[in-house]
Amino acid sequence: MQLPNQPYVVIVDDQPAAALSLQASIADQQLSLLRNLSYACDRVSSVADLERQLGLYPPQSIRLMVVDYAMVGRTPLHVIYRLRTSRTLHPALHPEALLIGWSAYEDVDSLFRSVGFDGFISKHLDQRDVAQAIEWIYQQRLHGAGWTSVGLPVPWAKSSLIA
């Protein structure tokens, strides 16, 4: 069984309230990455489910994946490492897919960076700032900045990149 052929936002978090909050924050904003796209948001609650579900996504359908670090059982970092290091072998990721680590533990941002994520967002951000943080990371990548970590205080408060 394959999922419908449309763009996907995938939220990997074992806490339903956190995943729903993130989903609502993304839906409330017009992210450049998703602009003019009709997309589905898929919540995945375990690493095992993520591993199973990756094969169900249509080719190049995942546009944004936000992954929590502290999952019950094990971290999902090895899955993302495989996706990033063998990107041409895994058809689910869109060439411009944005992979973001998301955690209440801000000291794990270097782990996300080491496995190929595009950035890190602290779960300590206010809900209204989370979507802006995703946009910030995307804009930083477009401007060639590479890795971006967003914690407190928020970096765009002094930047002209985000209006």
Side-chain angles (χ1 to χ4, degrees):
M1 176 185 113
Q2 192 171 16
L3 296 170
N5 192 10
Q6 63 184 359
Y8 282 89
V9 170
V10 180
I11 298 171
V12 183
D13 196 319
D14 57 353
Q15 297 176 346
L20 286 171
S21 174
L22 178 58
Q23 181 178 349
S25 182
I26 291 169
D28 287 346
Q29 301 295 315
Q30 283 290 326
L31 299 176
S32 297
L33 178 67
L34 302 171
R35 192 162 288 143
N36 301 321
L37 295 176
S38 176
Y39 67 91
C41 190
D42 200 10
R43 292 188 319 268
V44 180
S45 61
S46 73
V47 175
D49 287 347
L50 175 62
E51 289 176 314
R52 280 191 295 273
Q53 190 129 341
L54 280 171
L56 301 178
Y57 291 104
Q60 298 187 3
S61 63
I62 298 175
R63 297 294 184 106
L64 171 63
M65 185 181 291
V66 182
V67 182
D68 186 22
Y69 173 76
M71 303 276 290
V72 173
R74 59 185 180 169
T75 76
L77 296 180
H78 69 285
V79 176
I80 302 304
Y81 177 77
R82 281 197 323 255
L83 284 173
R84 276 297 199 209
T85 57
S86 61
R87 189 173 198 157
T88 57
L89 301 176
H90 201 289
L93 287 180
H94 188 274
E96 295 178 10
L98 192 63
L99 301 182
I100 298 175
W102 191 44
S103 180
Y105 304 106
E106 293 188 15
D107 59 338
V108 299
D109 66 332
S110 62
L111 293 173
F112 285 110
R113 183 178 191 173
S114 70
V115 297
F117 279 67
D118 296 298
F120 171 81
I121 297 174
S122 170
K123 280 189 173 183
H124 297 292
L125 290 180
D126 189 270
Q127 180 179 344
R128 67 180 177 266
D129 288 330
V130 172
Q132 195 167 5
I134 293 170
E135 181 69 19
W136 171 261
I137 292 169
Y138 181 63
Q139 292 296 323
Q140 291 295 301
R141 187 174 77 181
L142 288 178
H143 289 87
W147 171 258
T148 305
S149 182
V150 181
L152 294 173
V154 291
W156 55 82
K158 299 177 184 170
S159 173
S160 61
L161 280 179
I162 305 294

